[in-house]
Amino acid sequence: MADVLVVDDSKVMRDMIVACLRARAGLEFVHAASGLEAIERLSLHPFDLVLLDLNMPDIGGIEVVEFIRAQDKLRALPIVVITTRGDEASRARALAAGADRFLTKPFTPEALVREVSGLLGAARP
């Protein structure tokens, strides 16, 4: 069982991400609607993966990535940035901050499953 934190200020997008991954057995999802809520949840519960939007009203996705990479207990946590920012500068900034993968909206369910499976390992259910 892998615990996944889905962070996006849009409930519709969080639900869409979960729907895309629901067929992949062995995943449990926790939602966060802002960067601040994500940091709070990360401080209280261990996760196996974070799916993270860049554009949020309080603390942005880049700052959340930087927070995760600065914490000893979270440093190895895989992060997939999922964003509408498809420009190369945003991709480079997210990856330089420590994101493992960068996926641009709109994405296909297959692309999301591929990225998640790649980070969680094909051997996991």
Side-chain angles (χ1 to χ4, degrees), residues 2-46:
D3 290 326
V4 179
L5 179 60
V6 181
V7 186
D8 197 305
D9 57 332
S10 166
K11 182 180 183 322
V12 171
M13 183 53 65
R14 291 192 311 269
D15 290 345
M16 182 182 303
I17 289 169
V18 170
C20 291
L21 296 171
R22 183 77 58 204
R24 191 179 190 277
L27 298 180
E28 292 287 329
F29 300 95
V30 173
H31 293 227
S34 71
L36 180 58
E37 185 179 355
I39 288 172
E40 290 171 350
R41 293 193 182 278
L42 287 161
S43 298
L44 298 173
H45 183 82

Side-chain angles (χ1 to χ4, degrees), residues 52-55 81-86 90 102-106:
L52 177 67
D53 188 18
L54 287 183
N55 301 318
V81 167
I82 303 172
T83 182
T84 56
R85 296 184 190 174
S90 294
F102 189 94
L103 195 59
T104 304
K105 298 174 189 172

Side-chain angles (χ1 to χ4, degrees), residues 51-114:
L51 304 174
L52 177 67
D53 188 18
L54 287 183
N55 301 318
M56 290 184 283
D58 52 10
I59 298 174
I62 294 294
E63 289 76 17
V64 175
V65 172
E66 291 171 342
F67 170 82
I68 291 170
R69 294 302 179 235
Q71 307 301 310
D72 286 340
K73 69 177 188 175
L74 299 174
R75 189 162 290 138
L77 180 62
I79 304 168
V80 178
V81 167
I82 303 172
T83 182
T84 56
R85 296 184 190 174
D87 59 284
E88 187 53 41
S90 294
R91 173 185 295 272
R93 186 167 179 231
L95 295 175
D100 296 282
R101 302 283 194 280
F102 189 94
L103 195 59
T104 304
K105 298 174 189 172
F107 54 85
T108 64
E110 295 80 15
L112 180 58
V113 169
R114 183 176 50 249

